[in-house]
Every structure is written in structure tokens, then in C-alpha cells.
């Protein structure tokens, strides 16, 4: 019998297992893309950091990379 994780047993999707900051950014990106489809990932990341006063504690590239992975997971697995 295969041993699984607690989150697998609870049927929590790959996206919802991510760190809360990345979940917030993922939702922020979706909203920003709905409002302005021409907005770039970098613009949205900078806007997110300003909105939540994150500053340089986290790199925009990290936010973007995780959100892009989450987008792929969402398209493949759903929530």
C-alpha cells in the first residue's frame, strides 16, 4: 500500500498546498489580468509588492516563477 501525505488524503489540490504569499499573488495576477489583459507579469509583480508593502524581501522573479507553475498546475489539475 502506497503511503500518501495528509494533504493528499484530504484531497487538497497542488495549488492550495502552496505558501500563502504565492496563493495571494496567484489571485492577484488573475484579477489584474482580467482587468488589464496587456499587463505583464513583471508589472503585476511590482504592483503586488507595492500594494502589500513587500519591498525587496522577496524577488519579483520568485513570485512570477511560482505563479506560472501554479497556472500550469491549475490548467492540468484544477484546484
Amino acid at each position: 500500500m502506497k503511503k500518501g501525505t495528509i494533504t493528499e488524503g484530504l484531497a487538497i489540490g497542488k495549488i492550495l498546498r502552496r505558501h500563502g504569499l504565492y496563493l495571494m499573488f496567484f489571485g492577484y495576477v488573475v484579477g489584474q489580468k482580467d482587468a488589464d489583459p496587456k499587463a505583464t507579469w513583471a508589472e503585476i509583480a511590482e504592483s503586488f509588492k507595492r500594494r502589500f508593502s513587500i519591498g525587496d524581501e522577496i524577488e519579483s522573479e520568485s513570485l512570477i516563477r511560482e505563479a506560472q507553475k501554479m497556472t500550469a498546475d491549475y490548467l492540468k489539475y484544477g484546484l
Side-chain angles (χ1 to χ4, degrees):
M1 184 167 135
K2 181 184 169 207
K3 187 174 184 178
T5 66
I6 291 173
T7 54
E8 286 171 345
L10 295 173
I12 296 174
K14 285 185 84 167
I15 289 178
L16 298 178
R17 291 185 226 155
R18 293 276 206 298
H19 187 279
L21 179 66
Y22 297 126
L23 287 171
M24 285 177 56
F25 182 62
F26 180 72
Y28 192 83
V29 167
V30 171
Q32 291 290 358
K33 283 291 196 179
D34 285 348
D36 181 9
K38 294 180 181 177
T40 66
W41 285 92
E43 292 169 344
I44 295 170
E46 290 303 316
S47 173
F48 176 81
K49 288 170 58 172
R50 278 192 309 274
R51 168 66 179 86
F52 293 102
S53 303
I54 294 173
D56 292 330
E57 289 112 35
I58 189 160
E59 297 290 328
S60 294
E61 292 80 16
S62 295
L63 290 170
I64 293 167
R65 184 176 46 252
E66 286 300 315
Q68 289 174 339
K69 288 179 188 176
M70 292 171 75
T71 300
D73 287 344
Y74 176 74
L75 293 173
K76 187 172 183 178
Y77 305 110
L79 289 178

